[in-house]
Structure formats: C-alpha cells, structure tokens
Amino acid sequence: MKQSIKRAAVLGSGVMGSGIAAHLANLGIPTLMLDIAPQQLTKEEEKKGLSLDDRVVRNRIAAQSKQALKKQKPSPITTKKSLDLIEIGNMDDDMDKLVDVDWIIEVVVEDLAIKKKVFADVDKYRKEGTFISSNTSGISIEAMASDCSEDFRKHFLGTHFFNPPRYLKLLEIIPTKDTDPEVVAFMKRFGENVLGKGVVETKDTPNFIANRIGTYGLLVTVREMLNGGYSIGEVDSVTGPMIGRAKSATFRTLDVVGLDTFIHVANNVYDQVNGKEKEVFAIPAFISKMKANGWLGAKTGQGFFLKKKDKTGSTIYELNPETLEYEDRKKLKTAATEMANQEKGAHRKLKTLISNEGDRAGDLVWSILKPVCIYTAELTGEIADDIVAIDNAMKWGFGWEMGPFETWDAIGLRKSVERMEVEGEVIPSWIIHMLEKGNESFYKSDNGNVYYYDNETYKQKTFNKKEINLKQLKEINGVIKKNAGASLIDLGDGVAGLEFHSKSNAIGLDIIQMVNEAIDEVEENYQGLVIGNQGKNFCVGANLGMMLMEAQDDNFFELDMVIRQFQNMAMRIKYSNKPIVTAPFNMAVGGGAEVSLPAASIQASAETYMGLVEFGVGLIPGGGGTKELYLKQLRNLPKGIHFDLSKVANDVFEKIAMATVSTSAAEARENGFLDQSDKISVNPDHLLHDAKENVLALANAGYQAPMREKIPVVGDAGYAAMLLGSKSLQLSGYASEHDLKIAEKLAYVLSGGRITNSTEIDEQVMLDLEREAFLSLIGEPKTQQRMQHMLLKGKPLRN
C-alpha cells in the first residue's frame, strides 16, 4: 500500500472542488483539477473565432475556477504561489493523467448516477493502489463504488471536507465494507498530520455525523422560534457564544452557508428517514418562500438578515418570518441572559440559562438543546461508534465549543434527564441504564487522562501523540512558576514552555517578568524554551489600555521604563544561551510579533496573521520590532551578492507604515516575518509539539547564542527617500498630517539617525531610537485619540 501522497487529482472544480485543490496546493501537493468540457461557446470565445475543440475552451470551466480562487474571501489560498501547483484540464481529454496521481478526489454534482459514471471512468485510468474518495455530503459511499473493480473498492472511501476546506477543521472519513482497514488508518494519519484536519470516522448514513445533527439542530431552532414567537435576531442573540456556539449563531450561519445548500442537505435526510425525524427535516414554508425569492443569504446580498447603507453608515435588519419583511434587529435580554453574562466560560453560562425555568431566554435555549441531546443519543451507534466522534464532529465542523454529550454534562445529566421525563420526553434506554448504574456523566478525568462512557464502561480517550494539551499537562505536572500573566510549564524531554494567559494575551509587566524568569530557569535547568499558548490568539500586542492611561497621566518615566523592559526582554530572547522557539498562531500582531521575531526559531501555525500594526494607533513599534524585521530581511538576502540597502529599508518602512498583516504563515514568510529556517505547522493541535521538537533539534545540534549584530543603515539619503514617499501620499490625500509625522519618526529610526549611508550601528542605538520615537508619539493628542478609538471601537481612526 502507498505510504505517501505526492500528487493528487480533484474531479470537479466548483467552490468545494477548487477549495480542496487549493488546500492541497497550499500544502505543497501538486494537484490536477478537472471539470467537464463545455458544450457551448461563450460570446467572447465566438468573437475570438474559437471552437469547442480548442483546448482553451475545453478547459474553460476549470480555468475559471482556478482564477476565481484569487478573488474569493476568505481566501482559499495561503499564497499566490499555491496556484502554480494546480494544473487544470477536463474530464474528456485528461483522464489518462490520473495514472500519475496517488489520490483521486471526486467532487462532482450530488447525483448518484453521475458519480457512478465518473467512477467507472476513473477505474479505467487509475493505477492499482491509488486512493479514491468522494467528498459527497450525504450520498451513500457504498452505492457509488458498487460497480467498480475490487482494487478500486479496496482503496475507496468517503472524505467529507467542510467548506471552506482551508479553514474548517473537520474531515469525516467514511469507509465502506470493502475498504481496506490499512487504507482507513493511512487516511486518518494523513488527514491529521499532513492535511492538518481533525479526523472523525463515521458510518455510511445520511449526511454522516455533523450535517445530520447540525441540520437537525438548526431546524429545531427554527421550529422553536416559530412556536415561541421569537424573532430571528432574538434567537441569534442567545444561540451564539452565550451557549458555546460560533458568533454567527443560527441564522447568520445559515446566511453564510447559503439557504440553497442548507435546504439540499436537509432534503437529503428528509428523503431517507421516517416518522418524527422526517417531520423535523421538512423545510418550513417561509424558508421555501425565501428560496423562491432568491434570498439565499450572503451570496445574494440578503437572507435572514439584510444590510442597508445610508449616510450614517450600515444598519442590519432581520427578516420577519410571518410578513417576509425586514425589520429592526432585536436582541433577547432577560434576567437569565444578564446572569449568564456575568459567568465565565460557556459551561457556566449555559447552565445558568438552563436553570432559569420560566425565563424567556432560558426556555428557548432549553427547548433547542433538549431535542438535540435526545436525538444525538438515539443516533449513537448508528452514525458513529462512540460519543467522542460525535462531539468532535460538532466542534470541528460547526464550531460548537462543546459537543452534544459535553453539553449534556455541562447542564447536569441526571437533573436534565429528570426534567425531560417530567416533560414527557422518551430518553434512550442506554442513558437510563447508564444512570441506573450510578454513572453521572459521559466524560470524567483522572490524573490528567480523559475517559468517555462507552458500552457500560469508561474508556480512555486517545490523542495523536503530536497533541500537547497544556491544561492537562498542568493538572499532571503542575507549573514551575506563574503569575497573573504567564505560567512556566515542563513540556517534558528537557523543554520548558511559557504560556501567556493575560486578557487577550496582551503583554504587560507580568508577562515581561515571567519571560525573564523563564529564561533564567531554562538556562540553568532545561535544554530550551517554547513560548506558546492555547488561547484564542497567540498575542494581540502590548497592553494598549495601560499605556494610554500612563500617557494621559503624563507618566512618561514609567512608560520609558516599560519600553526599556520590553526591549531588554526581547534581547534576552534573542541572546539566550539556550534555544527559544516561539509558536505563534492566529493573531500575532504588534508585541506578539516583537516577541516572535528575535527568537532562535519561529514555529508558526499555518493560520498565523503576523504584522507590526502600531502605526494604526499612531505609534511605531517600540519593543525592537522595527529593528528585528529589518535585520530578518537583511539576513534573508543572498550571501556574497551586492544589494541595494535602501530597497530593504523601504520595504520594511512600507510594511510597518501600512500596518501589513499576513493572511497566513506562508505570506508572513513572503513579508519577511519568517525566514527559510523558520517552520510552519499545518495542524494547529500539533503546534506546541512541533515547536518542542524544533527546540530539541537546535539543542542537539549544539546551539550557541548568536553574536551581537551590527546593523548597516541607509542614513540621511535613505531617510529623505522614505520621507519623500510619505509626503507624496499626503499630497495625494492618502495620508493625514499626523500620518506624515508618524512616518517621519519611523524613517528616522530605520535610517539610523542623521548619519552616512551604509554606516553600521549597534543594535542598542536603533533600540534607543525606537524607544524615543515611541515615547514622543504616545504623547501626541492625535495618537491618544487613535488609541482611545481602537480600545472603544476595535478599529483604527483616521485623524
């Protein structure tokens, strides 16, 4: 059996097919993307005198899909270079190329007859041992391959990606009775380790796990909204983060997914089930009317919500399901919601809501969760072998913070079952039996291990060996040192880990203190250090509110001290005698980038959005970020070749002045924030493990702290050139007078002051220039206005 996938093919280039092709290309896997050959010329093709036999016409559909990848938002590609790995063609002329690929993924129209025809062709051209899979969202996997060869069926299974494939974590793997178990095992490993997915094995049943339960839950929510007289806005206000769901909650999620897609998925179950289940999957009349009107959501500009613009800005309106007219958006505020908002964590918020019987919000949430919990329990064993697969599918596919069984544990299993029985609900017998045996929860923890209930016993939950769970690690080993902002943890194998856990992981004096203490500890007792965490973002920068408060109180002595301490911390990271690896993910901006840049190595998550964004609040980087980005770009230049120093300075100047943030780790590398020796982890769950291995590799290679650097600068001439460009922007109306003042400070820092071009200065000189510029700008009233606006509104102010 194949042990690797070096080339792939995707059959079907629609939104999903091209998205899968893009994801594979992002990972460096050359991918052949085929679609049907057109049966009719476009007017443009006719004008050019082309015929249906011309290759450019026959490949048109796949070519257009490839081009569309550049424009889609969020972008399916991590860098434009990914597109070079996607080869296009058509399924009439190019099926013979399938002989050269290791994995063929079918993503054609959801029609069994068409899929069977495609697979019959695939069977003619593929070589033995090639993996084949379907990305169907619900058609029987078994039925698709029933007429294919034995070797085909042995290597065939379902691989259901969720849209968009680059961003959504879930990959459902659906084997058939003929699929070789080794193929299933390989695809699970490949899905986790190479594709970066959370892999769940599911049974070959309608809509598999996530879409089956998720669609049921959405339709139950619609039903309870109509029965209880709630508005669309009211439902969304309590079915989002308050109960551990995505911000898009219920109806905004449907607008994003697209009503046509949602109806198709619901109908797929409706056509294959009976009784009460069938009733739930029946599409409500007002939704059918919306589809007829073309109100499909974001793709058509209106759906359950409609955004209208006027002179004062944008206003979002909600649809009235009875009148089908748009009205002012409403929110559900009750005693229960107020109490829930005071609680921390989705578990406590949810339990607070549920316990408030008779409260309009509490009753709505209970009426939604109750049937979903019961329905999921009824399907256990039918759609998956265990509750872990079901919970993971809902968390990874629908963005739930807690799966159905974890939710049941959060609200209290025994107490909630008693309430359900009082209300006349029929509880699945296995849960009644479970409670009778004295088992009060689906999950339990012991000595850092997690156990789940399965067939009258508790089994230990297994994890990929590359997953490091900091919470569990701290439960087992405790912490070495900690304060309010960070904790130092033993990651094992002689590597320590420094975890930020301040609000938004913003850097304050507490984190600076812990970084210094961590380095002291590591230099004495460990092989190296990983700076990383498992919060929402790696780090969103320094504590902006604290700095603004000090500036407004004219405490510039204190601010100078804080900036010096930040700079000294960054220099200690850089010149530590033991290797320090940072593990940024999601937002790593401002101070988050300044912590990362001086490290011995960066191990970035593929979804890392890194940039020095201080310009947006009227500042420049003050903690060494300007210096380190400049030095990193200089180090990346080819050795022994003369280069124009001003081009490097101008490039860094532009990236900081434009507050450029990468849209991926690959783009961060293109922007100079990562160099070729830095590494990227595709699976975010493996990030800390990979960073730890990075530390060990550096240590085992005999790591030595770098020598202190001299920095060649552009001096007066470069300063004038950078300032000239900024002045041009101001004269063109693209920059304000205050923007020009900030740009002048940045240019002065990058040029090294008023000195001669190509002079080499010590790092401390540039650090002093950074700090002085930062302090002068934070004292400016317009900068303080920008900082205040960012803190209050969450977006930059132009003044």
Side-chain angles (χ1 to χ4, degrees):
M1 192 191 80
K2 290 180 185 293
Q3 295 302 312
S4 65
I5 292 174
K6 296 180 179 178
R7 283 183 58 84
V10 175
L11 308 182
S13 70
V15 171
M16 200 67 205
S18 62
I20 293 171
H23 185 62
L24 295 171
N26 290 336
L27 303 174
I29 300 173
T31 302
L32 174 67
M33 184 170 71
L34 307 181
D35 212 308
I36 59 173
Q39 301 299 307
Q40 192 172 349
L41 293 171
T42 65
K43 290 181 180 179
E44 289 76 14
E45 288 167 343
E46 289 176 351
K47 286 178 182 178
K48 292 178 181 178
L50 297 172
S51 73
L52 289 173
D53 293 329
D54 285 308
R55 188 72 177 176
V56 67
V57 174
R58 296 180 71 74
N59 291 349
R60 184 220 308 152
I61 295 175
Q64 288 177 339
S65 295
K66 181 177 175 179
Q67 284 298 112
L69 291 170
K70 297 178 183 178
K71 300 176 183 177
Q72 289 177 32
K73 291 186 178 181
S75 177
I77 54 176
T78 56
T79 169
K80 290 179 181 177
K81 292 179 181 177
S82 298
L83 295 175
D84 297 337
L85 292 177
I86 300 177
E87 177 189 353
I88 60 165
N90 69 80
M91 287 191 278
D92 287 333
D93 304 326
D94 300 307
M95 294 293 277
D96 59 331
K97 293 180 179 179
L98 297 181
V99 72
D100 296 322
V101 307
D102 305 303
W103 181 21
I104 301 163
I105 311 165
E106 171 273 312
V107 202
V108 302
V109 65
E110 290 286 80
D111 182 293
L112 179 59
I114 293 174
K115 289 181 185 290
K116 287 174 74 80
K117 182 179 183 302
V118 168
F119 284 133
D121 288 341
V122 169
D123 210 2
K124 294 176 188 174
Y125 292 102
R126 65 177 283 273
K127 62 178 178 287
E128 286 195 358
T130 303
F131 301 116
I132 323 100
S133 68
S134 172
N135 186 66
T136 181
S137 59
I139 294 178
S140 169
I141 303 297
E142 193 91 40
M144 288 182 205
S146 58
D147 300 329
C148 294
S149 66
E150 181 181 349
D151 186 76
F152 183 109
R153 297 196 308 275
K154 181 180 175 182
H155 292 87
F156 178 68
L157 71 170
T159 51
H160 182 213
F161 290 82
F162 273 61
N163 193 34
R166 172 184 163 184
Y167 300 97
L168 284 190
K169 184 174 179 177
L170 180 60
L171 174 63
E172 291 179 318
I173 285 185
I174 312 100
T176 73
K177 60 178 174 54
D178 297 320
T179 309
D180 187 331
E182 288 188 19
V183 170
V184 179
F186 171 82
M187 290 304 295
K188 283 182 178 178
R189 292 194 303 273
F190 184 80
E192 290 181 356
N193 298 335
V194 180
L195 300 181
K197 297 299 178 186
V199 179
V200 166
E201 183 177 339
T202 175
K203 303 290 186 69
D204 190 7
T205 53
N207 287 14
F208 314 128
I209 298 175
N211 276 342
R212 178 83 169 266
I213 295 169
T215 305
Y216 180 91
L218 289 166
L219 285 166
V220 162
T221 304
V222 175
R223 181 188 70 191
E224 295 304 321
M225 175 192 74
L226 296 174
N227 290 344
Y230 297 91
S231 82
I232 282 170
E234 285 179 327
V235 171
D236 267 16
S237 69
V238 295
T239 58
M242 192 177 291
I243 63 169
R245 304 284 173 85
K247 281 185 179 179
S248 54
T250 300
F251 292 101
R252 178 63 185 141
T253 295
L254 289 173
D255 273 352
V256 171
V257 169
L259 206 57
D260 51 345
T261 301
F262 172 69
I263 290 172
H264 170 79
V265 172
N267 284 340
N268 188 56
V269 180
Y270 180 85
D271 293 338
Q272 300 182 65
V273 297
N274 299 296
K276 288 185 178 180
E277 186 177 7
K278 194 178 190 75
E279 292 175 16
V280 175
F281 281 93
I283 301 299
F286 87 96
I287 292 182
S288 296
K289 181 65 174 173
M290 287 174 66
K291 183 186 177 186
N293 290 347
W295 302 349
L296 304 180
K299 68 177 76 174
T300 60
Q302 71 183 99
F304 294 103
F305 294 99
L306 173 66
K307 181 188 285 189
K308 290 183 180 179
K309 292 184 178 180
D310 55 32
K311 293 179 181 178
T312 60
S314 298
T315 305
I316 298 174
Y317 298 90
E318 64 176 58
L319 184 72
N320 183 320
E322 293 185 4
T323 65
L324 289 186
E325 293 180 354
Y326 289 94
E327 302 174 348
D328 289 340
R329 189 163 53 161
K330 305 173 189 68
K331 288 188 176 180
L332 192 55
K333 287 188 177 182
T334 68
T337 63
E338 294 299 311
M339 292 169 64
N341 282 327
Q342 300 302 313
E343 297 288 350
K344 289 186 176 181
H347 290 74
R348 296 175 66 89
K349 289 178 185 293
L350 182 58
K351 193 166 187 176
T352 299
L353 277 173
I354 295 295
S355 63
N356 276 268
E357 293 185 52
D359 181 276
R360 197 157 179 263
D363 288 349
L364 173 63
V365 172
W366 172 252
S367 69
I368 291 169
L369 293 183
K370 177 177 66 172
V372 172
C373 287
I374 294 172
Y375 181 68
T376 305
E378 290 172 341
L379 291 177
T380 302
E382 177 185 337
I383 60 175
D385 285 330
D386 57 60
I387 65 171
V388 176
I390 293 172
D391 278 347
N392 284 342
M394 299 316 301
K395 290 188 290 185
W396 297 339
F398 274 71
W400 293 11
E401 190 173 326
M402 300 173 285
F405 294 103
E406 291 168 325
T407 297
W408 219 336
D409 276 353
I411 63 178
L413 179 58
R414 183 176 292 280
K415 191 173 180 180
S416 61
V417 166
E418 289 171 354
R419 181 176 172 184
M420 290 173 185
E421 289 180 321
V422 168
E423 293 173 0
E425 304 294 345
V426 178
I427 311 300
S429 58
W430 70 271
I431 289 182
I432 299 297
H433 184 67
M434 171 185 171
L435 288 169
E436 288 174 348
K437 292 287 186 179
N439 299 306
E440 299 279 331
S441 64
F442 295 106
Y443 294 93
K444 60 182 183 180
S445 299
D446 182 38
N447 195 31
N449 295 316
V450 178
Y451 299 85
Y452 65 95
Y453 186 79
D454 184 74
N455 195 23
E456 300 192 15
T457 188
Y458 283 92
K459 296 180 179 177
Q460 186 173 339
K461 191 175 177 181
T462 58
F463 298 91
N464 188 305
K465 292 180 180 179
K466 294 184 178 182
E467 291 182 38
I468 292 177
N469 186 307
L470 291 181
K471 184 180 178 182
Q472 289 182 8
L473 204 60
K474 286 186 287 187
E475 287 178 2
I476 298 170
N477 298 335
V479 297
I480 304 166
K481 294 181 178 181
K482 71 176 292 187
N483 63 19
S487 295
L488 186 63
I489 307 161
D490 189 338
L491 299 181
D493 301 316
V495 178
L498 185 65
E499 174 196 25
F500 295 172
H501 45 62
S502 62
K503 185 177 181 181
S504 300
N505 286 341
I507 298 174
L509 288 172
D510 48 5
I511 285 181
I512 292 173
Q513 176 191 342
M514 276 304 301
V515 170
N516 287 320
E517 291 188 16
I519 294 172
D520 289 340
E521 179 73 24
V522 166
E523 288 191 331
E524 187 171 342
N525 298 312
Y526 290 85
Q527 293 199 62
L529 174 69
V530 171
I531 299 179
N533 62 79
Q534 292 175 327
K536 183 179 179 182
N537 295 297
F538 173 71
C539 176
V540 296
N543 189 327
L544 193 64
M546 180 273 290
M547 291 193 298
L548 176 60
M549 183 175 65
E550 296 288 359
Q552 289 175 334
D553 290 342
D554 291 329
N555 289 332
F556 289 96
F557 176 81
E558 287 82 357
L559 279 169
D560 180 76
M561 179 197 69
V562 171
I563 301 304
R564 285 177 189 271
Q565 289 192 23
F566 195 119
Q567 291 181 343
N568 292 338
M569 173 195 72
M571 292 291 275
R572 288 209 66 193
I573 291 172
K574 182 172 184 175
Y575 293 112
S576 166
N577 291 319
K578 298 292 180 69
I580 297 177
V581 174
T582 53
F585 61 95
N586 294 349
M587 299 303 294
V589 295
E594 289 184 300
V595 166
S596 298
L597 287 168
S601 180
I602 298 174
Q603 182 78 45
S605 171
E607 297 303 327
T608 297
Y609 316 123
M610 186 177 284
L612 294 167
V613 297
E614 289 84 353
F615 207 97
V617 290
L619 298 166
I620 72 162
T626 304
K627 168 183 70 79
E628 286 300 331
L629 182 60
Y630 181 58
L631 280 171
K632 209 164 180 78
Q633 298 219 4
L634 287 176
R635 285 195 295 268
N636 283 335
L637 293 170
K639 304 301 179 188
I641 298 175
H642 177 74
F643 58 87
D644 186 348
L645 192 61
S646 64
K647 285 187 177 179
V648 180
N650 286 337
D651 183 59
V652 172
F653 175 84
E654 184 177 310
K655 284 183 170 61
I656 295 175
M658 299 296 290
T660 302
V661 177
S662 68
T663 60
S664 65
E667 191 172 275
R669 178 168 281 155
E670 292 176 351
N671 290 347
F673 285 86
L674 305 184
D675 56 35
Q676 294 307 311
S677 65
D678 293 324
K679 298 176 173 60
I680 297 174
S681 296
V682 178
N683 192 323
D685 292 340
H686 300 173
L687 179 61
L688 292 179
H689 167 274
D690 295 344
K692 176 183 165 183
E693 293 299 308
N694 196 346
V695 166
L696 290 170
L698 289 167
N700 293 334
Y703 179 80
Q704 290 184 323
M707 299 291 289
R708 195 166 179 102
E709 296 186 76
K710 289 285 187 179
I711 308 173
V713 292
V714 291
D716 282 337
Y719 169 75
M722 286 184 273
L723 211 55
L724 181 62
S726 300
K727 189 67 177 175
S728 298
L729 286 173
Q730 187 204 17
L731 293 172
S732 304
Y734 292 106
S736 68
E737 184 179 338
H738 193 54
D739 290 331
L740 187 63
K741 181 177 285 188
I742 307 164
E744 186 273 332
K745 298 286 186 182
L746 176 61
Y748 190 76
V749 172
L750 275 169
S751 64
R754 306 303 299 271
I755 54 178
T756 307
N757 183 25
S758 297
T759 300
E760 291 190 346
I761 62 174
D762 187 79
E763 284 184 271
Q764 191 59 49
V765 174
M766 190 171 277
L767 284 173
D768 291 341
L769 291 172
E770 271 194 51
R771 189 179 68 258
E772 290 162 9
F774 185 95
L775 290 170
S776 68
L777 286 169
I778 203 170
E780 292 279 345
K782 287 190 175 180
T783 285
Q784 292 180 15
Q785 288 169 14
R786 291 188 179 194
M787 294 171 74
Q788 185 90 31
H789 192 270
M790 179 62 74
L791 288 166
L792 293 174
K793 305 288 187 180
K795 54 186 178 182
L797 170 70
R798 287 293 305 277
N799 61 351

